[in-house]
Short mmCIF file of all heavy atoms in Angstrom, two decimals:
data_model
loop_
_atom_site.label_atom_id
_atom_site.label_comp_id
_atom_site.label_asym_id
_atom_site.label_seq_id
_atom_site.Cartn_x
_atom_site.Cartn_y
_atom_site.Cartn_z
N LYS A 7 -8.71 -4.14 -3.41
CA LYS A 7 -7.57 -4.94 -3.89
C LYS A 7 -7.32 -4.61 -5.37
O LYS A 7 -6.17 -4.49 -5.82
CB LYS A 7 -7.91 -6.44 -3.78
CG LYS A 7 -7.74 -6.99 -2.37
CD LYS A 7 -6.35 -7.56 -2.19
CE LYS A 7 -6.18 -8.03 -0.75
NZ LYS A 7 -4.79 -8.06 -0.32
N SER A 17 -0.70 2.79 -12.97
CA SER A 17 -1.76 3.63 -13.50
C SER A 17 -2.29 4.46 -12.33
O SER A 17 -3.43 4.37 -11.90
CB SER A 17 -2.90 2.81 -14.14
OG SER A 17 -3.30 1.83 -13.21
N GLN A 32 -8.35 10.68 4.83
CA GLN A 32 -8.42 11.20 6.18
C GLN A 32 -6.98 11.12 6.73
O GLN A 32 -6.30 10.12 6.51
CB GLN A 32 -9.31 10.27 7.01
CG GLN A 32 -9.63 10.74 8.39
CD GLN A 32 -10.48 9.77 9.18
OE1 GLN A 32 -10.09 8.61 9.33
NE2 GLN A 32 -11.61 10.21 9.62
N ASN A 39 -10.35 15.22 7.91
CA ASN A 39 -10.67 14.86 6.54
C ASN A 39 -9.88 15.74 5.53
O ASN A 39 -9.56 16.89 5.84
CB ASN A 39 -12.16 15.01 6.26
CG ASN A 39 -12.94 13.89 6.89
OD1 ASN A 39 -12.44 12.79 7.11
ND2 ASN A 39 -14.16 14.19 7.26
N SER A 46 0.29 19.79 8.58
CA SER A 46 0.81 20.03 9.95
C SER A 46 1.32 18.73 10.56
O SER A 46 2.32 18.73 11.27
CB SER A 46 -0.25 20.73 10.83
OG SER A 46 -1.39 19.96 10.88
N LEU A 54 15.11 13.81 11.18
CA LEU A 54 16.46 13.58 11.71
C LEU A 54 17.36 14.68 11.17
O LEU A 54 17.66 14.74 9.98
CB LEU A 54 16.99 12.21 11.26
CG LEU A 54 18.01 11.54 12.14
CD1 LEU A 54 18.22 10.09 11.72
CD2 LEU A 54 19.30 12.23 12.24
N SER A 60 28.53 11.60 8.87
CA SER A 60 28.44 11.92 7.44
C SER A 60 28.44 10.66 6.57
O SER A 60 28.09 10.74 5.40
CB SER A 60 29.63 12.81 7.05
OG SER A 60 30.84 12.17 7.36
N SER A 64 24.12 8.10 11.33
CA SER A 64 23.66 7.85 12.71
C SER A 64 23.75 9.14 13.53
O SER A 64 24.79 9.83 13.50
CB SER A 64 24.57 6.80 13.37
OG SER A 64 24.33 6.78 14.73
N LEU A 80 29.96 0.29 7.00
CA LEU A 80 29.09 -0.03 5.86
C LEU A 80 29.86 0.11 4.56
O LEU A 80 30.69 0.98 4.40
CB LEU A 80 27.89 0.95 5.82
CG LEU A 80 26.96 0.98 7.00
CD1 LEU A 80 25.94 2.07 6.83
CD2 LEU A 80 26.24 -0.41 7.10
N ARG A 81 29.54 -0.80 3.62
CA ARG A 81 30.13 -0.70 2.31
C ARG A 81 29.38 0.33 1.47
O ARG A 81 29.89 0.80 0.47
CB ARG A 81 30.16 -2.11 1.67
CG ARG A 81 31.13 -2.17 0.52
CD ARG A 81 31.18 -3.48 -0.17
NE ARG A 81 31.79 -3.30 -1.49
CZ ARG A 81 31.59 -4.08 -2.50
NH1 ARG A 81 30.79 -5.13 -2.40
NH2 ARG A 81 32.18 -3.86 -3.64
N GLU A 93 6.99 8.15 17.11
CA GLU A 93 5.68 8.63 16.77
C GLU A 93 5.72 10.06 16.30
O GLU A 93 6.60 10.80 16.76
CB GLU A 93 4.72 8.48 17.96
CG GLU A 93 4.48 7.07 18.38
CD GLU A 93 3.78 6.22 17.34
OE1 GLU A 93 3.28 6.77 16.33
OE2 GLU A 93 3.74 5.02 17.49
N ASN A 106 -2.76 -2.50 5.53
CA ASN A 106 -3.34 -2.31 4.21
C ASN A 106 -3.63 -0.85 3.84
O ASN A 106 -4.70 -0.49 3.39
CB ASN A 106 -4.65 -3.13 4.13
CG ASN A 106 -5.01 -3.44 2.70
OD1 ASN A 106 -4.16 -3.52 1.85
ND2 ASN A 106 -6.31 -3.62 2.43
N LEU A 118 11.08 11.31 2.13
CA LEU A 118 12.30 10.75 1.50
C LEU A 118 12.89 11.76 0.55
O LEU A 118 14.11 12.02 0.53
CB LEU A 118 11.96 9.46 0.75
CG LEU A 118 11.67 8.25 1.61
CD1 LEU A 118 11.06 7.14 0.74
CD2 LEU A 118 12.89 7.75 2.31
N TYR A 122 16.54 13.45 0.72
CA TYR A 122 17.47 13.34 -0.43
C TYR A 122 18.02 14.71 -0.78
O TYR A 122 19.20 14.88 -0.97
CB TYR A 122 16.72 12.74 -1.63
CG TYR A 122 17.56 12.63 -2.93
CD1 TYR A 122 18.20 11.47 -3.22
CD2 TYR A 122 17.69 13.73 -3.75
CE1 TYR A 122 18.95 11.40 -4.39
CE2 TYR A 122 18.47 13.66 -4.87
CZ TYR A 122 19.08 12.49 -5.22
OH TYR A 122 19.81 12.43 -6.36
N ALA A 128 23.45 12.45 -4.68
CA ALA A 128 23.49 12.60 -6.16
C ALA A 128 23.27 11.26 -6.79
O ALA A 128 24.25 10.58 -7.20
CB ALA A 128 24.84 13.19 -6.57
N ILE A 131 19.60 6.70 -10.22
CA ILE A 131 18.51 5.74 -10.30
C ILE A 131 17.96 5.54 -8.88
O ILE A 131 18.72 5.44 -7.91
CB ILE A 131 19.00 4.36 -10.81
CG1 ILE A 131 19.43 4.47 -12.28
CG2 ILE A 131 17.97 3.25 -10.61
CD1 ILE A 131 20.11 3.21 -12.79
N PRO A 139 8.69 -12.54 -3.50
CA PRO A 139 7.38 -12.61 -4.17
C PRO A 139 6.24 -13.17 -3.31
O PRO A 139 5.11 -12.69 -3.34
CB PRO A 139 7.65 -13.52 -5.38
CG PRO A 139 9.08 -13.35 -5.67
CD PRO A 139 9.76 -13.11 -4.33
N GLY A 146 0.08 -7.82 -0.88
CA GLY A 146 -0.58 -7.15 -2.04
C GLY A 146 0.26 -6.06 -2.68
O GLY A 146 -0.09 -5.59 -3.73
N LEU A 161 11.43 13.73 -7.25
CA LEU A 161 12.80 14.13 -7.61
C LEU A 161 13.07 14.10 -9.08
O LEU A 161 14.16 14.47 -9.53
CB LEU A 161 13.82 13.19 -6.92
CG LEU A 161 13.78 13.20 -5.37
CD1 LEU A 161 14.68 12.08 -4.81
CD2 LEU A 161 14.26 14.57 -4.85
N LEU A 163 13.57 11.52 -10.92
CA LEU A 163 14.67 10.57 -11.19
C LEU A 163 14.03 9.27 -11.70
O LEU A 163 12.91 8.92 -11.31
CB LEU A 163 15.47 10.27 -9.94
CG LEU A 163 16.43 11.34 -9.49
CD1 LEU A 163 17.02 11.00 -8.09
CD2 LEU A 163 17.57 11.45 -10.49
N THR A 176 13.58 -14.45 3.70
CA THR A 176 14.36 -14.42 4.97
C THR A 176 13.40 -14.11 6.14
O THR A 176 12.47 -13.32 5.97
CB THR A 176 15.42 -13.34 4.88
OG1 THR A 176 14.80 -12.11 4.53
CG2 THR A 176 16.47 -13.67 3.86
N ASN A 183 20.56 -9.68 16.53
CA ASN A 183 21.63 -8.72 16.72
C ASN A 183 22.28 -8.39 15.40
O ASN A 183 21.91 -8.99 14.35
CB ASN A 183 22.66 -9.19 17.76
CG ASN A 183 23.36 -10.48 17.30
OD1 ASN A 183 23.57 -10.68 16.11
ND2 ASN A 183 23.76 -11.31 18.25
N ALA A 194 20.90 -12.86 0.06
CA ALA A 194 19.45 -12.97 -0.23
C ALA A 194 19.06 -12.27 -1.52
O ALA A 194 17.98 -12.50 -2.04
CB ALA A 194 18.66 -12.43 0.94
N ILE A 211 20.26 4.87 -5.63
CA ILE A 211 19.69 5.18 -4.27
C ILE A 211 18.74 4.06 -3.96
O ILE A 211 17.70 3.88 -4.61
CB ILE A 211 18.95 6.52 -4.30
CG1 ILE A 211 19.76 7.64 -4.91
CG2 ILE A 211 18.46 6.88 -2.89
CD1 ILE A 211 20.90 8.17 -4.05
N CYS A 217 15.45 1.24 8.66
CA CYS A 217 16.74 0.53 8.72
C CYS A 217 17.23 0.58 10.17
O CYS A 217 17.17 1.60 10.82
CB CYS A 217 17.70 1.20 7.75
SG CYS A 217 19.26 1.62 8.39
N PRO A 229 25.26 -7.16 -4.66
CA PRO A 229 25.17 -7.53 -6.06
C PRO A 229 25.18 -6.34 -7.01
O PRO A 229 25.61 -6.44 -8.16
CB PRO A 229 23.83 -8.26 -6.13
CG PRO A 229 23.05 -7.86 -4.93
CD PRO A 229 24.06 -7.53 -3.86
#
Side-chain angles (χ1 to χ4, degrees):
K7 282 266 177 204
S17 51
Q32 188 183 57
N39 286 331
S46 57
L54 207 171
S60 56
S64 168
L80 298 175
R81 199 181 161 204
E93 295 298 348
N106 202 26
L118 287 169
Y122 176 96
I131 291 172
L161 297 170
L163 284 172
T176 54
N183 64 31
I211 309 288
C217 130

